[in-house]
């Protein structure tokens, strides 16, 4: 008998070679797979972890989601305590839920929300270097706040996809965006909520925004980039360390956007 568990968890991506399991590399998926199988070692079964999507090396998560089928029935509280007792210090299981056998952490996703943080200090802050990108050039935040709204809607984002992305449609829908200047932290914080994002898409989108803020591009240059569908026109890919997977949405989480998106493959 299978007992399917949905886990929501956070991780510091600094010392991981990304989420996806890789030979001879420390990954989030590989670490969790090892833990779950160690908990169920007497069953003689190999348990697989299915994540909502991949994050690249150095990218962090505040609310990543995965599921797995466990051979024994444990309460949600017992599973939470058991997993956390074995997790390394850079992973924390935030929530455990028993779910139906037809739930799938990847294929049932209806949306994802990402956060990108940029430190604006003149020099790199040694205590933030793993958790924010660094942008030392003067920027006009008003330009960024206006420009970011041009990402909202359903567009072909070919100009914002790195080489190495899987083949398929480049059309995605961005539901909403936010730009915040946290003056106390001296940070610009950018939030993107959409039905899915392709390889390095958000990091490229942020690079364009920062060039707009610096005055190197017109305020509404994003509209032109969407039309030309040319990755070379977008130029910058921002560092991974400023990116956070903030939340994964499923049917019922957000009634406004509750259609399954099986075709989307997420990696940032």
């Amino acid at each position: 008998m299978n007992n399917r568990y949905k886990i929501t968890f956070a991780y510091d991506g600094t010392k991981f070679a990304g989420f996806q399991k890789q030979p001879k590399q420390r990954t989030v998926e590989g670490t969790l797979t090892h833990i779950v199988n160690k908990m169920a070692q007497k069953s003689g079964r190999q348990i697989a972890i299915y994540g909502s999507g991949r994050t690249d090396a150095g990218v962090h998560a505040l609310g990543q989601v995965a599921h797995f089928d466990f051979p024994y029935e444990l309460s949600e509280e017992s599973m939470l305590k058991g997993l956390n007792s074995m997790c390394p210090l850079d992973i924390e299981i935030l929530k455990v839920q028993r779910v139906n056998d037809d739930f799938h952490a990847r294929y049932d996703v209806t949306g994802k929300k990402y956060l990108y943080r940029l430190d604006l200090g003149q020099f790199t802050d040694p205590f933030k270097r793993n958790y924010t990108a660094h942008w030392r050039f003067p920027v006009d935040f008003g330009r960024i706040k206006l420009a970011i709204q041009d990402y909202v809607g359903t567009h072909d984002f070919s100009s914002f996809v790195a080489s190495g992305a899987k083949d398929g449609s480049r059309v995605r829908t961005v539901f909403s965006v936010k730009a915040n200047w946290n003056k106390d932290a001296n940070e610009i914080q950018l939030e993107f909520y959409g039905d899915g994002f392709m390889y390095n898409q958000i990091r490229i989108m942020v690079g364009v925004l920062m060039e707009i803020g610096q005055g190197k591009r017109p305020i509404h240059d994003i509209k032109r980039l969407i039309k030309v569908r040319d990755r070379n026109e977008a130029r910058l890919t921002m560092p991974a360390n400023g990116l956070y997977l903030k939340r994964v949405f499923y049917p019922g989480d957000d009634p406004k956007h509750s259609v399954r998106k099986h075709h989307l493959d997420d990696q940032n």
Side-chain angles (χ1 to χ4, degrees):
M1 177 181 176
N2 285 326
N3 301 282
R4 184 158 293 187
Y5 290 88
K6 171 188 174 186
I7 58 173
T8 303
F9 52 102
Y11 53 84
D12 175 348
T14 304
K15 295 183 179 180
F16 287 107
F19 179 85
Q20 188 176 26
K21 191 187 298 184
Q22 302 174 52
K24 299 181 180 180
Q25 296 286 337
R26 183 176 188 258
T27 67
V28 179
E29 182 184 19
T31 301
L32 290 175
T33 299
H34 174 75
I35 290 169
V36 171
N37 278 279
K38 191 171 183 180
M39 287 180 65
Q41 58 186 339
K42 292 183 180 179
S43 71
R45 293 175 51 187
Q46 185 66 26
I47 301 170
I49 298 284
Y50 299 91
S52 72
R54 297 170 288 172
T55 53
D56 216 348
V59 176
H60 312 291
L62 302 173
Q64 174 68 287
V65 175
H67 83 265
F68 57 88
D69 293 326
F70 201 69
Y72 309 121
E73 185 173 356
L74 295 178
S75 68
E76 294 172 348
E77 183 179 2
S78 295
M79 180 62 78
L80 179 70
K81 290 180 178 179
L83 290 172
N84 275 319
S85 70
M86 300 174 72
C87 277
L89 295 178
D90 44 7
I91 299 179
E92 181 186 1
I93 311 300
L94 304 173
K95 187 176 183 180
V96 172
Q97 297 167 272
R98 284 286 304 273
V99 291
N100 294 331
D101 288 346
D102 62 350
F103 171 82
H104 199 287
R106 176 183 171 191
Y107 295 132
D108 288 356
V109 172
T110 61
K112 289 189 177 182
K113 188 173 287 187
Y114 281 89
L115 169 70
Y116 199 92
R117 296 171 56 193
L118 296 113
D119 180 63
L120 301 179
Q122 183 180 0
F123 305 107
T124 301
D125 185 331
F127 300 104
K128 295 168 69 175
R129 72 190 190 283
N130 292 326
Y131 308 107
T132 61
H134 180 228
W135 190 269
R136 64 184 178 87
F137 306 106
V139 293
D140 183 334
F141 180 67
R143 290 171 62 90
I144 292 172
K145 198 165 186 178
L146 285 172
I148 195 173
Q149 296 299 326
D150 290 338
Y151 285 127
V152 176
T154 301
H155 308 293
D156 184 322
F157 284 97
S158 293
S159 291
F160 304 89
V161 183
S163 60
K166 288 188 175 182
D167 293 336
S169 173
R170 302 298 196 230
V171 175
R172 297 292 187 272
T173 299
V174 176
F175 300 134
S176 65
V177 292
K178 291 181 182 177
N180 178 53
W181 182 12
N182 186 326
K183 295 183 180 180
D184 291 335
N186 198 23
E187 284 182 20
I188 287 179
Q189 299 168 353
L190 306 170
E191 187 177 277
F192 303 87
Y193 173 31
D195 60 0
F197 298 91
M198 295 168 285
Y199 184 44
N200 284 355
Q201 181 181 342
I202 291 176
R203 292 161 60 186
I204 296 167
M205 290 164 69
V206 172
V208 169
L209 285 171
M210 297 312 292
E211 287 192 330
I212 290 172
Q214 197 181 349
K216 287 188 172 183
R217 295 178 181 270
I219 290 178
H220 295 293
D221 200 39
I222 289 166
K223 293 181 179 180
R224 180 186 68 84
L225 291 172
I226 289 171
K227 288 180 180 179
V228 299
R229 303 179 187 177
D230 184 350
R231 167 67 185 97
N232 293 323
E233 289 288 313
R235 296 195 290 262
L236 289 180
T237 300
M238 296 298 289
N241 59 327
L243 184 60
Y244 296 74
L245 172 57
K246 188 173 182 180
R247 184 176 175 184
V248 184
F249 293 85
Y250 292 93
D253 290 343
D254 187 349
K256 188 176 178 181
H257 310 296
S258 59
V259 179
R260 292 189 180 188
K261 300 291 183 181
H262 293 269
H263 67 286
L264 300 184
D265 183 52
D266 197 55
Q267 181 182 5
N268 265 282

